Amino acid sequence: MQITFSAAALPKSGAIIVPLFDDGKKTEAFTGLDDKTEGALSRAVKESEFKAKKGKVLEIVSPSGIANARIILIGAGAPKTFGPLDAEAVGGAGIMRVLAGRDKTALFALAGFSAAKIDAGELAARIAYGARMRAYRFDKYRTKQERDEKPALTKIAVHTPASSAKTAYGRHDKIGDGVFVTRDLVSEPANVLYPDSFAKRCQKLSALGVKVKVLGVTEMKKLGMGALLGVGQGSARPSKLVAMEWMGGKKGEAPVAFVGKGVTFDTGGISLKPPKGMEDMKWDMGGAGAVTGAIAALAGRKAKANVVGIVGLVENMPDGNAQRPGDVVTSMSGQTIEVLNTDAEGRLVLADALWWAQETYKAKTVVDLATLTGAIIISLAHEFGGMFTKDDALAKKLSAAGEATGDLLWRMPLTKTHDEMIKSDIADMQNISSGPGGGSSTAAAFLARFIKEGVSWAHLDIAGMAWNPKGKPTVPKGGSGYGVRLLDEFVRANHE
Ligand code: BES
Ligand code: MN
Ligand code: ZN
């Protein structure tokens, strides 16, 4: 998608998107087009009682004066509260309409569209960003798509009087690249994306200046990663652990570590999942996908911070060699785990990935992302990622990053009681809770046992967020890219 910014002019043809606030004020773009079309716009607004409420759309096709144009009025809601995320939603809503048609170019006419809370250049940049995010498609496997099913859009033009728009957009564009890295990974089927091919995708980030290290089974055995390796042992595809280092900050300063669950397919293992919906488990690598995309974003925009992304990549399969319920494995930390349910595999992978991250990088701030429990979807639906941490200050920082980017988080409990629920009869702990309920919290309590004293750590359960079942103004249905902007903003606000 080509995205351009230029000084506001009166557009002459094609798909023209005109945002309006609900205060009844008309923008210059609106009145210019209205004059040109002998009042077609104001007539349409009046007849349809269009009030420019947030998200509402009114389309005027082939008005007199510019017969080869399609004018799309987008309701932007109240100007007083209008901020960056609202601008993104306007961009997304506009482009959604354009994608349903045959236009090659979408033009945002922003002359006179301004709000108090956001700089005009940033406003234009955010509209473009939202539009690009919504225009994402994963269609590499469609070989027979009809011409009229396939959007023709290749260019987004933004007409704005703000000369700073292009510069403002630059940063968002790099973050958008990172979001797309994640969406591509999450959308890919598990016969194509498995530990080795995932690791190869990570290696591509070296083009951005990221140092990528890949550990294989032999090395992980040597390190004693019995928990991670136990999950992968039933798969024909060998497990991997990947570290992606972006050292854009002070030399010698310990990096912030982001750790991702990368189960490239989760059948449940011998504790096999039911068939219905199992195909969803191709995106059980959503945490690893988000971490990879975040590193791509940070490296892409040359963030002045030291950050390492670590992903534990395994496939959880039932097999003659698979681990059995009741097996006891020894993690890299030395702690033993009774595996009572092979479907509670994410925490086993993270146990070793988290420990390795702390040992190798001496990271003092660690955030893990994982599609860890179905229970978090019961709690928070597809609206929030679940945040578990004992560190109030870290919770505050992450929540703020969520609010700023729309990758929302909701803090969940993590207490001593949850820790007591994973006591085992024969090992240091068991991988599922002994009692019913609180499944997301007991999973977090399990991870907490692999965090060293003095390390500031948060676990984000993103099972409800990695995949968007319906779509949002800036997210088409499918892989959402959730977490990339969250982590990027967390770094920007606290570590740069
Ligand atoms: N990957 C799943 C969690 C999941 C479920 C993610 C649905 C997205 C959608 C995880 O490995 C799992 O199977 N968790 C079990 C844990 C249970 C066995 C304690 C679950 O949530 O049922
Ligand atoms: Mn599972
Ligand atoms: Zn899983």
Side-chain angles (χ1 to χ4, degrees):
M1 191 70 62
Q2 191 200 333
I3 297 175
T4 58
F5 297 87
S6 57
L10 200 58
K12 294 186 186 67
S13 64
I16 304 164
I17 303 152
V18 185
L20 287 176
F21 287 120
D22 65 6
D23 59 0
K25 285 205 188 98
K26 307 297 174 219
T27 64
E28 287 159 39
F30 182 97
T31 42
L33 287 163
D34 201 33
D35 289 349
K36 214 167 169 204
T37 57
E38 294 162 27
L41 273 64
S42 39
R43 269 200 312 282
V45 164
K46 188 160 177 271
E47 282 307 309
S48 62
E49 294 179 34
F50 179 77
K51 297 277 187 295
K53 293 285 170 227
K54 202 177 199 160
K56 294 280 183 231
V57 181
L58 177 64
E59 198 168 324
I60 302 132
V61 182
S62 191
S64 57
I66 32 176
N68 54 350
R70 192 152 72 92
I71 295 166
I72 300 162
L73 303 180
I74 298 281
K80 257 199 189 144
T81 54
F82 191 84
L85 297 179
D86 302 300
E88 291 175 13
V90 162
I95 225 66
M96 220 189 306
R97 266 301 166 113
V98 179
L99 287 169
R102 298 298 320 146
D103 296 284
K104 289 199 182 74
T105 303
L107 196 151
F108 285 91
L110 303 186
F113 183 71
S114 65
K117 270 181 72 184
I118 180 170
D119 162 82
E122 184 66 13
L123 184 149
R126 293 293 187 126
I127 285 184
Y129 176 82
R132 181 185 175 211
M133 287 302 103
R134 179 68 210 199
Y136 171 86
R137 292 172 63 81
F138 186 80
D139 54 9
K140 64 194 270 202
Y141 298 117
R142 292 173 178 271
T143 65
K144 292 186 174 163
Q145 213 167 25
E146 298 298 328
R147 186 189 162 270
D148 58 355
E149 282 177 13
K150 211 170 183 155
L153 188 74
T154 56
K155 199 177 154 194
I156 296 166
V158 182
H159 278 190
T160 168
S163 56
S164 59
K166 193 170 181 231
T167 317
Y169 179 70
R171 184 170 155 264
H172 300 300
D173 199 42
K174 297 298 178 193
I175 298 169
D177 289 346
V179 171
F180 284 5
V181 165
T182 304
R183 287 184 183 174
D184 285 348
L185 287 167
V186 166
S187 307
E188 206 64 81
N191 61 327
V192 174
L193 195 76
Y194 44 88
D196 186 57
S197 60
F198 194 127
K200 291 212 164 79
R201 297 260 189 127
C202 295
Q203 275 164 334
K204 285 195 175 165
L205 300 194
S206 56
L208 298 170
V210 177
K211 200 157 146 202
V212 185
K213 292 181 181 152
V214 182
L215 273 61
V217 170
T218 320
E219 286 155 294
M220 287 193 276
K221 260 190 193 147
K222 266 193 211 144
L223 289 164
M225 294 190 177
L228 184 152
L229 290 169
V231 177
Q233 77 185 35
S235 169
R237 306 182 185 285
S239 303
K240 304 276 176 193
L241 186 81
V242 180
M244 294 162 274
E245 301 171 5
W246 171 253
M247 299 299 186
K250 286 202 193 85
K251 229 183 156 141
E253 198 173 85
V256 173
F258 296 142
V259 180
K261 167 181 172 181
V263 176
T264 58
F265 197 80
D266 181 13
T267 64
I270 297 300
S271 312
L272 196 63
K273 286 185 182 294
K276 195 173 177 308
M278 201 202 274
E279 67 279 7
D280 283 349
M281 288 301 107
K282 76 170 183 182
W283 49 260
D284 206 18
M285 35 53 69
V291 167
T292 308
I295 297 294
L298 291 164
R301 70 170 181 82
K302 300 197 165 39
K304 290 186 178 57
N306 295 338
V307 186
V308 59
I310 291 149
V311 294
L313 305 170
V314 302
E315 188 182 49
N316 188 21
M317 298 292 270
D319 174 79
N321 194 45
Q323 73 179 342
R324 295 144 291 258
D327 281 5
V328 175
V329 296
T330 304
S331 66
M332 185 186 171
S333 73
Q335 301 178 89
T336 58
I337 304 157
E338 187 185 11
V339 181
L340 289 181
N341 188 322
T342 65
D343 196 12
E345 85 297 339
R347 62 198 78 182
L348 298 169
V349 174
L350 286 173
D352 281 336
L354 283 166
W355 194 261
W356 187 80
Q358 295 165 90
E359 286 272 288
T360 311
Y361 293 97
K362 312 286 176 231
K364 286 283 158 273
T365 304
V366 178
V367 179
D368 78 73
L369 289 87
T371 50
L372 206 62
T373 65
I376 201 71
I377 310 177
I378 309 289
S379 305
L380 303 175
H382 304 283
E383 301 299 318
F384 301 91
M387 171 171 59
F388 301 82
T389 180
K390 294 170 188 168
D391 185 333
D392 294 346
L394 181 61
K396 231 175 154 178
K397 291 173 186 169
L398 286 165
S399 288
E403 292 284 339
T405 58
D407 282 356
L408 298 176
L409 288 170
W410 195 272
R411 192 169 180 184
M412 300 286 288
L414 168 56
T415 68
K416 198 157 176 286
T417 325
H418 296 116
D419 181 73
E420 281 158 11
M421 288 161 86
I422 53 170
K423 275 186 186 155
S424 158
D425 289 337
I426 67 158
D428 295 337
M429 70 196 88
Q430 58 190 39
N431 78 327
I432 52 167
S433 172
S434 53
S440 306
S441 289
T442 50
F446 181 98
L447 299 178
R449 291 192 179 208
F450 297 88
I451 301 302
K452 295 186 177 188
E453 196 64 38
V455 171
S456 172
W457 161 76
H459 156 60
L460 310 181
D461 193 335
I462 64 166
M465 304 308 287
W467 187 267
N468 193 308
K470 294 195 309 268
K472 293 196 298 188
T474 54
V475 183
K477 176 183 164 186
S480 66
Y482 177 94
V484 173
R485 301 183 77 192
L486 176 75
L487 297 180
D488 174 80
E489 171 62 16
F490 172 73
V491 170
R492 190 201 63 76
N494 304 290
H495 297 279
E496 283 190 82

